[in-house]
């Protein structure tokens, strides 16, 4: 795919995600946008949807092939989609990510950062933490500022 077309499709995909428009996300994917793509800053499409609690869009991206544990590296948008959703207490988004194989114990920053359960506890988001625990998340004694 030519660079100009890819840039246009990426902008179209991210605009639809940010606006919460699942129909436009679906159209962008059908037009050739990749569910694994990141924007110019390095934020992945799945992370962008998860951090905003856009469960229907998360589902579309996962069904289109977005890897549930891929870490985003955007400015101010780094980490895993599951950590992003857990941080804000988006329980239904967490449920969707787990249903598609997201690892409830995967720590951000290549394994050196917080886990989804750390983020849910810090929220505090007890319903999200309970869901993660029921999915096998384990609390570990790790201190973070």
């Amino acid at each position: 795919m030519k660079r100009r077309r890819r840039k246009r499709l990426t902008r179209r995909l991210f605009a639809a995600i940010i606006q919460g428009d699942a129909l436009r996300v679906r159209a962008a994917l059908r037009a050739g946008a990749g569910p694994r793509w990141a924007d110019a800053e390095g934020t992945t499409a799945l992370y962008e949807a998860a951090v905003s609690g856009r469960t229907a869009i998360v589902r579309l991206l996962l069904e289109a092939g977005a890897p549930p544990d891929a870490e985003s590296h955007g400015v101010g948008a780094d980490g895993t989609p599951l950590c992003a959703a857990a941080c804000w207490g988006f329980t239904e988004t967490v449920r969707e990510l787990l249903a598609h194989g997201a690892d409830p114990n995967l720590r951000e920053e290549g394994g050196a950062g917080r886990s989804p359960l750390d983020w849910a506890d810090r929220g505090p988001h007890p319903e999200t933490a309970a869901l993660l625990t029921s999915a096998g998340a384990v609390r570990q004694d790790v201190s973070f500022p």
Side-chain angles (χ1 to χ4, degrees):
M1 178 178 302
K2 293 185 177 180
R3 187 183 315 171
R4 180 178 284 168
R5 177 168 163 68
R6 183 177 171 133
K7 284 175 73 172
R8 190 176 14 187
L9 282 170
T10 300
R11 283 193 303 268
R12 185 173 158 192
L13 175 63
F14 276 79
I17 292 169
I18 290 166
Q19 292 172 0
D21 191 334
L23 292 176
R24 285 182 46 217
V25 169
R26 185 185 313 270
L29 292 169
R30 284 188 188 150
R36 298 170 177 256
W37 289 0
D39 67 9
E41 294 180 355
T43 304
T44 65
L46 186 58
Y47 182 94
E48 184 67 45
V51 77
S52 302
R54 305 205 186 281
T55 306
I57 294 173
V58 164
R59 183 178 311 111
L60 283 174
L61 293 168
L62 289 165
E63 289 172 352
D69 289 329
E71 202 161 340
S72 180
H73 298 288
V75 178
D78 56 331
T80 67
L82 189 57
C83 285
C87 174
W88 297 102
F90 294 128
T91 306
E92 290 309 310
T93 304
V94 167
R95 187 180 321 280
E96 192 68 36
L97 288 160
L98 291 169
H100 282 86
D103 182 347
N105 289 300
L106 182 64
R107 294 184 168 280
E108 296 177 304
E109 299 174 28
R114 288 187 172 93
S115 72
L117 187 55
D118 293 335
W119 283 113
D121 284 343
R122 184 178 174 131
H125 304 292
E127 183 181 351
T128 304
L131 174 60
L132 288 164
T133 302
S134 72
V138 178
R139 285 183 177 82
Q140 298 178 12
D141 289 330
V142 178
S143 298
F144 292 101

